[in-house]
Amino acid sequence: MHILRKWLAGAAKAAPAAAATAPARVAAATDPAGSTASTDPLSQVDLALERAPDDAELHFARASILVDQGRIREAVPRFARAESCGMRGPRLDFAFGWALLQDGQPRLAEARLRGALAQDPESARTAFALGMALRAQGRSEDAATVFRDVVRLDPRDVHCLRALAACAFERGDFAAADAHLRDALALDAQSPDTWNDLCAVESRMGRLDEALAAAEEADRCDRARGAHGDAFVNLATCHFERGRLAAGMRVLEDALAQRPHAGAHHAYALAQMAAGRLREGQTHYEFRWLREPLVSRRHVGSQPAW
């Protein structure tokens, strides 16, 4: 169980708004009537690029759409192409740094984000992303300094309170992590991610009953929001930590059909192996290829492997 397991994906405020980038250029570069046969934004941008292959805004738009689609490895060289075509400024540096961070290159991300912050010192989202890049390098103290600066500007920033909790967690200050998370819950008591983080802290402090209660609350909040998350994985893990293998597996089995998250398959794989069902466990373990950093490294052929 890990605090802030979704600290990248969950920080939606820091993600570049992409799909609407350069709409005028796309419209102008399609057909004379300004329309295109495809309504897919990526196809529209590709068609526009055929007519204007050196348009930096179009390359930026394509990279941003790829980020939105989770195709990070393809997006990184597209941001570089936008820069080589003449694009400059904090918008590019932020989006490029964000993509590099998600691609597992936090040092390069840090350089980009520092450049973006130098050009726009008041950008809370850039400062937050910089803190995450520092934390990804194991520099929790430096990251916490950045996060505290953001919280001073906006004491209601739940993302930064969660990030501060993660930094405290990593240096072993569980009481501070608990306090930051309770501050975050006072601002948004319906956040499944924050309840998940609190579950991890309580578990590390040996408060298994409190951890289970937090996991149950996270799952309840997730269900109230449409059950699109994976809070149930922490709930199952809490049962496993209390020696309730069957109860944890039941949670996963009930949820996996509707919420087929790779992390849930991973937890179920370990549970199956612990129960002595090695073949079934290995089958579910292969779902690890559906999440980063492995998913971007999978070979994508033009036809099925068989």
Side-chain angles (χ1 to χ4, degrees), residues 233 236-237 240 249 252 262-272 284 291:
V233 180
T237 303
F240 295 152
M249 291 179 70
L252 295 173
H265 282 284
H266 178 261
Y268 192 59
L270 298 182
Q272 289 276 14
H284 284 273
R291 60 180 176 178

Side-chain angles (χ1 to χ4, degrees), residues 107-169:
R107 290 184 184 277
L108 295 177
E110 178 191 353
R112 285 285 175 179
L113 293 166
R114 286 193 184 281
L117 201 58
Q119 299 168 78
D120 186 7
E122 300 302 315
S123 174
R125 72 170 187 172
T126 304
F128 180 62
L130 174 61
M132 293 196 295
L134 293 170
R135 181 172 171 262
Q137 298 175 60
R139 296 160 60 185
S140 293
E141 289 292 346
D142 293 338
T145 299
V146 174
F147 293 137
R148 280 191 288 268
D149 288 340
V150 178
V151 170
R152 273 193 288 269
L153 292 173
D154 182 7
R156 300 183 63 82
D157 192 319
V158 173
H159 291 294
C160 272
L161 289 170
R162 289 184 59 225
L164 279 169
C167 292
F169 185 89

Side-chain angles (χ1 to χ4, degrees), residues 52-142:
D54 295 321
D55 190 308
E57 285 284 351
L58 289 174
H59 285 291
F60 181 86
R62 193 179 201 284
S64 299
I65 293 169
L66 290 170
V67 169
D68 282 350
Q69 295 179 350
R71 297 162 63 180
I72 308 301
R73 182 141 301 213
E74 297 171 70
V76 168
R78 281 290 173 172
F79 282 125
R81 180 65 186 277
E83 185 174 49
S84 69
C85 289
M87 191 174 191
R88 299 290 186 275
R91 185 166 65 112
L92 173 65
D93 284 338
F94 170 76
F96 202 168
W98 177 260
L100 287 166
L101 181 56
Q102 293 183 82
D103 192 42
Q105 303 183 63
R107 290 184 184 277
L108 295 177
E110 178 191 353
R112 285 285 175 179
L113 293 166
R114 286 193 184 281
L117 201 58
Q119 299 168 78
D120 186 7
E122 300 302 315
S123 174
R125 72 170 187 172
T126 304
F128 180 62
L130 174 61
M132 293 196 295
L134 293 170
R135 181 172 171 262
Q137 298 175 60
R139 296 160 60 185
S140 293
E141 289 292 346
D142 293 338

